[in-house]
Amino acid sequence: MTRRRSATLTLLSCVLLAAPARADDASAAAPRVQAKSYILIDYATGTTLAESNADEPLPIASLTKLMTAYVVFEALRDGRIALDDQVLVSEKAWRMRGSRMFIEVNTHVAVEDLILGLIVQSGNDASVALAEHVAGSVPAFVELMNAAAERLGMTRTTYANTHGLPAPGAASTARDQAILARALIAEFPEYYPWYSLREFTYNGIRQYNRNRLLARDPSVDGLKTGHTNAAGYCLVSSAQRDGMRVISVVLGADTPAARAASSQSLIDWGFATYETHRLFAAGEEIVAERVWRGSPELTSLGVAEDFYVTIPRGRFDALAAEVKLPLRLVAPLERLAPVGEVHVSFDGRPLASAPLVALGAVAQGGPWTRLRDEFMLLLE
């Protein structure tokens, strides 16, 4: 077994990316939520702050359009489509019932306008037009949606269309929708601001975003409402205050007012009860270590990604960090090569960990350096 050594770090005003987990017990119970299912997570860490029936598959109505947008954003990122592409509106898209942005058959509409119609006006017609433009047909696009859900780890989600009208087999969970919302915010920051728009006008028709929290709470900047008789009233929302972001998912509320009130109470409770800290920044030196037979002799070690933790508010002094390293580091070392781990505990219990990596490459030293270090190692 490899001998290892450890060193305790002092946490002052550092900042860490923890794996999704449950938050430690907080002093205040979660608010009462009038819905079939809900979850509240911290965005930076993925930590679950509150939940009920979060893994129960349920119909999600127009929340489906979050994945429609995700797949369209992927196509934009990959260069397969562009925002100024002119999309020919098919009869299938034009005939869509339910919420619409009122595009006209056999006219051309820019991709950007269709995305805004999808996000702000929840246009079923826009969802079909975008699907046909990206994948050639709605069934082919739905395959892309389900493939994306699988990649993201949305294990209890199945999509059957692009808009969320009732369809056999279509369902998702509150937890899976939180995973998707987190991915949308993280992967597509250039498009996420569209989710905060409160209105959009197309074809001379002004329509308003159904997310009531956008008007009530300036910290809320997304994401999507949904409603059918089968799904009830649903809302995925996100808010940011003082550098901390939370994501709330409420499924199956009885009224629009109930879904808004429940989401607001979860958001307010999350910010009042928890706080998130970035303990170590990506590329920041945590420790410097000797590298035997190397040039240079010292190398900085840190984390490759920002390392965050979420803890009960006011309990920063209960955090402790420790690095664990092999007995010796020996050249050559590649940049970002994992060489150890950093572990963080809360109240003496393990909370999060991350690989400790070399922040710079270390080549083998010259003949004299290697000979000297060989001799010194023999003496140890």
Side-chain angles (χ1 to χ4, degrees):
M1 181 180 294
T2 303
R3 294 172 61 197
R4 302 183 72 83
R5 56 195 172 88
S6 63
T8 301
L9 302 175
T10 299
L11 292 177
L12 299 174
S13 57
C14 314
V15 189
L16 136 126
L17 180 57
R22 283 205 56 85
D24 214 282
D25 290 340
S27 57
R32 183 178 180 86
V33 174
Q34 297 178 337
K36 293 179 180 178
S37 171
Y38 71 84
I39 194 169
L40 179 73
I41 70 167
D42 174 77
Y43 164 74
T45 63
T47 302
T48 298
L49 307 180
E51 65 175 293
S52 177
N53 299 324
D55 295 309
E56 180 182 355
L58 295 168
I60 59 169
S62 282
L63 300 190
T64 297
K65 297 185 180 89
L66 290 175
M67 180 57 81
T68 303
Y70 183 86
V71 174
V72 171
F73 294 159
E74 283 191 316
L76 287 166
R77 180 184 62 197
D78 298 343
R80 290 181 282 126
I81 64 171
L83 288 176
D84 57 0
D85 284 356
Q86 296 297 308
V87 178
L88 180 63
V89 178
S90 69
E91 185 170 348
K92 180 181 179 68
W94 174 66
R95 286 188 179 277
M96 280 304 305
R97 58 190 176 91
S99 55
R100 293 177 292 161
M101 66 176 291
F102 299 104
I103 50 179
E104 300 288 346
V105 66
N106 292 328
T107 62
H108 288 86
V109 183
V111 164
E112 182 171 353
D113 285 337
L114 290 171
I115 294 173
L116 292 171
L118 178 81
I119 290 174
V120 182
Q121 299 169 335
S122 195
N124 295 339
D125 48 0
S127 77
V128 171
L130 285 166
E132 292 174 337
H133 183 63
V134 170
S137 70
V138 169
F141 188 88
V142 171
E143 289 184 12
L144 297 178
M145 295 171 69
N146 285 312
E150 184 176 357
R151 289 196 307 274
L152 291 172
M154 299 168 63
T155 58
R156 299 192 177 187
T157 295
T158 301
Y159 292 103
N161 56 43
T162 61
H163 39 70
L165 291 176
S172 187
T173 67
R175 192 181 314 279
D176 282 359
Q177 289 303 296
I179 290 171
L180 175 56
R182 190 176 179 219
L184 273 168
I185 297 169
E187 295 183 38
F188 303 107
E190 67 271 43
Y191 305 130
Y192 180 66
W194 285 337
Y195 285 96
S196 67
L197 295 179
R198 293 169 58 183
E199 64 178 62
F200 177 60
T201 300
Y202 181 78
N203 204 17
I205 303 170
R206 176 185 293 180
Q207 296 189 69
Y208 297 91
N209 198 316
R210 295 175 179 86
N211 183 357
R212 296 184 180 184
L213 299 190
L214 293 175
R216 295 179 182 177
D217 184 343
S219 72
V220 174
D221 53 16
L223 282 140
K224 188 74 187 74
T225 62
H227 170 256
T228 62
N229 290 337
Y233 291 89
C234 307
L235 175 60
V236 177
S237 50
S238 184
Q240 186 170 21
R241 300 178 191 171
D242 298 324
M244 179 181 177
R245 178 180 289 279
V246 297
I247 295 169
S248 164
V249 181
V250 171
L251 303 181
D254 289 336
T255 66
R259 75 179 171 192
S262 294
S263 300
Q264 185 73 70
S265 62
L266 281 170
I267 289 169
D268 290 342
W269 175 85
F271 285 127
T273 310
Y274 291 97
E275 58 191 28
T276 295
H277 296 275
R278 190 184 69 174
L279 297 182
F280 306 110
E284 172 189 31
E285 180 182 294
I286 297 176
V287 292
E289 286 293 316
R290 169 76 181 267
V291 181
W292 296 91
R293 305 173 193 157
S295 178
E297 291 186 358
L298 288 177
T299 188
S300 296
L301 306 181
V303 289
E305 298 180 347
D306 288 349
F307 187 0
Y308 292 86
V309 290
T310 301
I311 59 173
R313 186 163 289 280
R315 297 295 313 281
F316 187 83
D317 58 354
L319 289 171
E322 182 182 44
V323 295
K324 295 189 175 181
L325 294 166
L327 187 62
R328 301 184 187 94
L329 298 180
V330 180
L333 283 180
E334 294 182 359
R335 182 178 178 274
L336 300 184
V339 296
E341 295 176 325
V342 56
H343 294 263
V344 173
S345 61
F346 179 80
D347 259 349
R349 290 171 291 181
L351 178 63
S353 63
L356 200 63
V357 301
L359 298 180
V362 181
Q364 280 195 338
W368 165 246
T369 298
R370 297 198 304 272
L371 182 63
R372 180 200 62 192
D373 285 359
E374 285 287 352
F375 178 72
M376 293 179 67
L377 288 170
L378 287 174
L379 296 178
E380 284 201 349

